[in-house]
Amino acid sequence: MDNLQQLQSLNHLSLQTLATKIGISLPTMKKVMANGPIAKRTEAKVAEFLHKNVGHARLFLDEPIYKATKSANTMSLSCVLIKADNACDSFRESMYPLGWRPGDEVKAAGKDIDTLVNLLSTVSNDDIQAFYTKTLTTYDDIPELKFICPYIVTILETLTHLQFESINHLDIFLDMRNEFSPEALSAGSQLLKAFLKLMRCQIGSLQLIAKDSRNFIGLQYADFVANLSMRAKETQLTTAKITSLTVNKSERNQMLLTLSGLQQRIIRHHRVASIPANPPQTIKYLLECIREVAYRERTSQNRSSFGQLKQAMQLCTDQLPKADQHIILNAK
């Protein structure tokens, strides 16, 4: 995608706003949009702006097949950024010379390393950026999202590496797994939006969805990246245009801590929003919540519901009129 097409994809911004953000005058901005001749300095400013501001970006994530056992609790995760609709055309034509239809899929598994390196180095272009990292297969820091959390971490580390300032539309595709329930995907989407605000990355719209890789060439590309990243040497990955995301254990732990805190705030916000307005109904509603959570806690082996019980109690003290708080305190 050339610079003009990228600028046109930022149609949520006025020409004056674009000119101001790029650091050029409005007449010069109009000349840029008309594809007229511009100075090298202006061209460099536009390129620098577009490097950090994207109209529509898609991320495709995949992991090699693994068995989550005590001896294998880590995995390679690929994350492929695609910024143009035709970015994967060369990959698709190389894999399916007779044409591709949704439902067709060629897996990377079983192919030798040199074949994969040669393929990816050949089909790579400016509108594709491939990354990989190592993560745990699950993260218990956020119990509700333990299976999807490794993907959230990889997404955030990829976007941190890219240093985007704004993305108008961000679509994130995961290869379908049973653990990716609609509820987990929705919660993961909210968590990503909240964290990206902390990163000062403006997001217009964001969706996190799980799809069958047989129907998406981007997911098939991510499969090749994930498979190769698990087996190849660093020099071979460089040749294949795959970037290793440096894992800083301290920074990742801090990210997980922040994600956990954000998730608890999101949960609490939703509970507050669902409280009925009528005080007697509110008291009854909260008491029922506490009884339900307390019962689960009583029968739980790992007492994982304790945090939820504390949140329910906090809601009681925070949300009820002071005159009614004694009812909850006595019930406690």
Side-chain angles (χ1 to χ4, degrees):
M1 186 185 298
D2 61 28
N3 287 352
L4 179 58
Q5 289 175 313
Q6 291 184 61
L7 287 170
Q8 289 171 340
S9 71
L10 298 171
N11 51 21
H12 63 294
L13 299 175
S14 67
L15 283 183
Q16 182 61 68
T17 301
L18 275 174
T20 302
K21 287 180 174 290
I22 294 172
I24 59 179
S25 66
L26 181 58
T28 302
M29 187 72 240
K30 291 180 178 179
K31 187 181 293 186
V32 171
M33 298 304 290
N35 206 21
I38 56 175
K40 291 288 185 182
R41 183 179 178 183
T42 300
E43 190 175 329
K45 285 185 176 182
V46 170
E48 182 181 359
F49 172 78
L50 291 175
H51 183 69
K52 296 184 177 181
N53 298 270
V54 180
H56 188 191
R58 280 148 289 192
L59 293 176
F60 295 88
L61 289 88
D62 196 17
E63 81 288 337
I65 297 174
Y66 71 93
K67 293 182 179 179
T69 64
K70 290 183 179 179
S71 59
N73 61 354
T74 62
M75 62 180 176
S76 292
L77 259 177
S78 66
C79 186
V80 178
L81 169 70
I82 293 179
K83 294 190 288 185
D85 293 337
N86 61 351
C88 288
D89 283 0
S90 294
F91 175 75
R92 183 181 64 243
E93 291 164 5
S94 297
M95 298 307 303
Y96 306 97
L98 299 180
W100 176 81
R101 293 179 301 177
D104 296 340
E105 182 171 26
V106 175
K107 287 287 192 181
K111 293 180 171 53
D112 64 76
I113 292 176
D114 288 340
T115 297
L116 295 178
V117 170
N118 291 335
L119 171 67
L120 293 181
S121 63
T122 301
V123 302
S124 179
N125 58 70
D126 292 340
D127 289 318
I128 298 179
Q129 290 178 265
F131 304 90
Y132 86 95
T133 189
K134 303 284 186 182
T135 75
L136 297 180
T137 55
T138 61
Y139 282 103
D140 295 327
D141 307 70
I142 309 177
E144 305 90 346
L145 301 175
K146 62 185 296 184
F147 293 105
I148 209 168
C149 195
Y151 297 82
I152 291 175
V153 167
T154 301
I155 291 164
L156 291 173
E157 289 181 346
T158 299
L159 294 177
T160 299
H161 176 85
L162 292 167
Q163 296 184 318
F164 286 137
E165 293 177 354
S166 70
I167 305 173
N168 195 23
H169 301 289
L170 177 58
D171 299 325
I172 304 170
F173 297 84
L174 311 182
D175 194 7
M176 184 72 75
R177 282 176 53 182
N178 292 334
E179 295 88 352
F180 297 159
S181 66
E183 294 78 15
L185 291 167
S186 176
S189 176
Q190 293 180 62
L191 196 54
L192 283 167
K193 289 177 184 177
F195 197 97
L196 287 169
K197 285 183 179 179
L198 298 180
M199 289 173 54
R200 300 186 182 279
C201 179
Q202 297 180 357
I203 301 293
S205 66
L206 183 153
Q207 63 171 345
L208 178 65
I209 50 182
K211 293 292 183 179
D212 190 332
S213 58
R214 291 176 296 181
N215 298 324
F216 289 85
I217 288 292
L219 284 173
Q220 295 184 30
Y221 195 107
D223 167 63
F224 276 66
V225 174
N227 184 282
L228 187 59
S229 68
M230 184 178 62
R231 299 191 288 143
K233 298 177 181 178
E234 200 64 37
T235 53
Q236 293 171 313
L237 294 175
T238 300
T239 302
K241 309 295 177 62
I242 300 173
T243 301
S244 170
L245 295 172
T246 303
V247 177
N248 183 305
K249 189 173 181 180
S250 175
E251 290 180 0
R252 181 172 283 183
N253 288 340
Q254 182 61 46
M255 176 186 289
L256 288 166
L257 183 63
T258 303
L259 287 170
S260 178
L262 286 172
Q263 176 66 4
Q264 294 307 312
R265 291 192 65 177
I266 290 171
I267 291 173
R268 183 173 176 180
H269 173 76
H270 285 176
R271 287 178 177 168
V272 170
S274 65
I275 295 175
N278 187 282
Q281 293 178 2
T282 299
I283 295 171
K284 182 179 179 181
Y285 171 82
L286 289 172
L287 281 172
E288 288 301 321
C289 285
I290 293 172
R291 289 192 186 99
E292 180 184 347
V293 177
Y295 179 78
R296 290 204 306 269
E297 177 63 15
R298 183 172 64 84
T299 58
S300 172
Q301 293 182 350
N302 58 12
R303 303 183 69 80
S304 61
S305 299
F306 184 67
Q308 292 176 281
L309 182 58
K310 288 174 62 179
Q311 288 173 2
M313 292 302 301
Q314 189 65 49
L315 282 173
C316 293
T317 57
D318 288 352
Q319 300 301 319
L320 291 177
K322 289 185 178 180
D324 294 328
Q325 288 184 9
H326 71 280
I327 300 176
I328 294 296
L329 295 175
N330 291 337
K332 179 176 68 173

